[in-house]
Amino acid sequence: MKRHLTATLAAMLLAAPALAEIMVSDAYVRSSTPTSASGAAFMTLMNEGAEDDRLIAVSSDVAARVELHTHSEDENGVMRMSEIEDGIALPAGGMHHLARGGDHLMFMGLTGPLEQGSEIAVTLTFEKAGEMQVMIPVDHERKPDHGAMKHSD
Ligand SMILES: [Cu+2]
């Protein structure tokens, strides 16, 4: 019996290499006006795997380019967006919130308006977990989370 279990476990390990497992939750995308040429997406990323991982690239058919952005305060106290150069780290068992006033996915050069209630297909590329496609609902009415950092939006 014990030998049988061991063999089963070995088969399972062979069938499922130790890839990082990323969960995406609470995602939405919005633009500041219906005719904006850019939009931003927010979500919670959870690394449920045993390996550290990193979100390194994002793409979507609805935009010419998708960048990883963060907000930071410049020397005059003004919040500015800038590109995150080396990706978003997701330690094993860790969680990262993309939220208004903080890190976000920036959609540049939208091919058309983001229609309220529709969904867009987005490909997230992780260093270890590889490519993952997610459907993100368009929600222009969503208010920033109460728990989020308090920045003017
Ligand atoms: Cu941005």
Side-chain angles (χ1 to χ4, degrees):
M1 186 63 186
K2 190 170 185 192
R3 180 168 299 166
H4 173 71
L5 281 176
T6 306
T8 305
L9 184 60
M12 284 169 60
L13 289 173
L14 284 174
L19 286 177
E21 294 166 44
I22 308 296
M23 292 283 298
V24 175
S25 63
D26 208 20
Y28 69 105
V29 60
R30 67 189 292 276
S31 53
S32 42
T33 72
T35 54
S36 293
S38 61
F42 310 93
M43 67 196 67
T44 299
L45 297 169
M46 276 168 288
N47 182 355
E48 303 197 323
E51 265 193 292
D52 293 351
D53 209 340
R54 184 176 289 272
L55 175 62
I56 49 174
V58 184
S59 64
S60 175
D61 287 345
V62 306
R65 195 164 83 251
V66 188
E67 293 180 355
L68 303 176
H69 274 192
T70 191
H71 274 95
S72 49
E73 204 172 326
D74 72 9
E75 60 274 20
N76 301 313
V78 179
M79 296 302 292
R80 293 192 189 285
M81 293 196 299
S82 56
E83 192 170 0
I84 301 173
E85 299 290 348
D86 47 1
I88 293 174
L90 291 164
M95 183 186 278
H96 192 95
H97 294 287
L98 304 183
R100 309 261 277 268
D103 298 348
H104 55 278
L105 310 183
M106 193 84 199
F107 292 71
M108 330 274 283
L110 290 174
T111 54
L114 295 173
E115 307 241 9
Q116 176 72 20
S118 66
E119 285 191 323
I120 63 168
V122 175
T123 303
L124 306 175
T125 305
F126 298 91
E127 206 166 68
K128 306 258 177 54
E131 288 191 358
M132 176 178 173
Q133 192 168 68
V134 290
M135 297 301 295
I136 301 184
V138 175
D139 190 349
H140 298 298
E141 289 155 16
R142 177 90 160 241
K143 299 283 185 285
D145 292 340
H146 290 293
M149 290 187 294
K150 287 184 177 60
H151 290 311
S152 55
D153 190 47

